[in-house]
């Protein structure tokens, strides 16, 4: 892989989205939020009454939704079957169900293929949970963002309404376990990724560190 592809992995609340967008803006690159794609499929499954406790039922419908996602760091629009679901995919309902849907191999196979097609010739910042290990293992820059459970919970609570830090900490712990133990493409740090703990860092400091790594590795 010769084009600049920056793989940004890590659990929710680690600062991936904000940092990835900031890096993409600074370098004039495209940006892809792969988590939004899994959320969009999850939204569709919920709206079509698919039993999310039945992986086989999810697998059968995995190819049905027609998905489109913007690749600009200044636009987060996502559509499913022509409907803008940008806001809907961030609800608590979708958040609570996305791990079950994303664990299904047929869903992952479909979306990984679409993600690779979107990456295309490169020049993009891609965030997710399996970018450096599965989607773009040849990416020249791989970063794995982490943060303390408390910091992650505080950040997520600030983004949502009607929740508490404790509730978010428990929800994130459950999702971490599901994502890191699933059989298909579990959340793990790539062997050649640089781990960056964002607990005590500002967003600008995280972006600056990633930009330093980009300069160093390219």
């Amino acid at each position: 892989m010769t084009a600049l592809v920056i793989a940004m992995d890590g659990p929710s609340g680690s600062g991936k989205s904000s940092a990835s967008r900031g890096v993409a803006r600074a370098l004039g690159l495209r940006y892809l939020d792969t988590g939004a794609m899994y959320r969009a499929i999850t939204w569709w499954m919920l709206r079509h009454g698919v039993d999310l406790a039945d992986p086989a039922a999810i697998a059968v419908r995995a190819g049905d939704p027609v998905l489109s996602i913007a690749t600009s760091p200044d636009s987060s629009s996502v559509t499913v079957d022509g409907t803008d679901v940008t806001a809907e995919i961030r609800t608590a309902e979708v958040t609570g169900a996305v791990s079950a849907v994303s664990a299904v191999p047929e869903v992952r196979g479909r979306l990984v293929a679409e993600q690779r097609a979107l990456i295309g010739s490169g020049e993009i910042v891609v965030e997710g949970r399996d970018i450096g290990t599965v989607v773009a293992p040849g990416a020249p820059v791989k970063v794995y963002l982490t943060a303390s459970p408390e910091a992650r919970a505080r950040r997520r609570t600030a983004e949502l309404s009607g929740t508490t830090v404790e509730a978010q900490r428990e929800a994130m712990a459950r999702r971490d376990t599901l994502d890191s133990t699933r059989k298909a493409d579990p959340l793990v740090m790539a062997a050649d990724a640089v781990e960056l703990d964002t607990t005590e860092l500002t967003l600008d400091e995280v972006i600056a560190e990633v930009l330093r790594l980009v300069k160093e590795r390219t």
Side-chain angles (χ1 to χ4, degrees):
M1 184 178 293
T2 57
L4 178 55
V5 177
I6 302 172
M8 302 277 282
D9 288 307
S12 58
S14 58
K16 290 195 311 295
S17 295
S18 297
S20 296
R21 288 178 187 277
V23 170
R25 290 189 187 103
L27 296 175
L29 304 183
R30 293 178 298 142
Y31 158 77
L32 177 61
D33 177 1
T34 63
M37 298 173 75
Y38 286 100
R39 286 175 171 273
I41 297 294
T42 301
W43 176 89
W44 187 94
M45 294 287 175
L46 288 166
R47 292 300 170 271
H48 286 77
V50 177
D51 182 1
L52 301 192
D54 183 356
I58 297 172
V60 168
R61 307 300 301 275
D64 291 351
V66 178
L67 177 64
S68 177
I69 185 168
T71 56
S72 165
D74 297 314
S75 173
S76 58
S77 63
V78 184
T79 64
V80 179
D81 296 342
T83 299
D84 188 327
V85 297
T86 307
E88 286 84 348
I89 64 173
R90 301 297 173 181
T91 63
E93 180 186 27
V94 172
T95 298
V98 67
S99 287
V101 174
S102 64
V104 176
E106 288 79 3
V107 173
R108 301 201 72 82
R110 175 209 163 153
L111 291 185
V112 167
E114 293 186 11
Q115 289 155 14
R116 288 173 175 166
L118 286 166
I119 290 171
S121 61
E123 306 299 325
I124 192 168
V125 179
V126 191
E127 67 147 302
R129 285 169 168 73
D130 62 348
I131 311 306
T133 54
V134 176
V135 179
V141 180
K142 299 179 184 178
V143 183
Y144 189 90
L145 273 62
T146 63
S148 69
E150 184 70 20
R152 292 171 55 205
R154 286 200 310 270
R155 292 168 183 170
R156 185 50 53 89
T157 303
E159 297 171 354
L160 303 172
S161 60
T163 188
T164 65
V165 172
E166 180 60 30
Q168 285 306 307
R169 185 165 50 237
E170 292 177 359
M172 286 181 170
R174 288 193 297 271
R175 187 171 181 189
D176 287 350
T177 299
L178 290 170
D179 289 347
S180 62
T181 59
R182 67 185 179 222
K183 292 182 179 180
D185 309 335
L187 169 64
V188 294
M189 184 173 74
D192 54 345
V194 173
E195 183 173 6
L196 180 58
D197 188 331
T198 67
T199 303
E200 301 296 335
L201 300 179
T202 66
L203 175 58
D204 286 344
E205 288 172 335
V206 173
I207 293 171
E209 180 60 19
V210 176
L211 292 175
R212 185 192 66 78
L213 289 171
V214 171
K215 184 176 181 180
E216 178 183 285
R217 295 200 168 195
T218 59

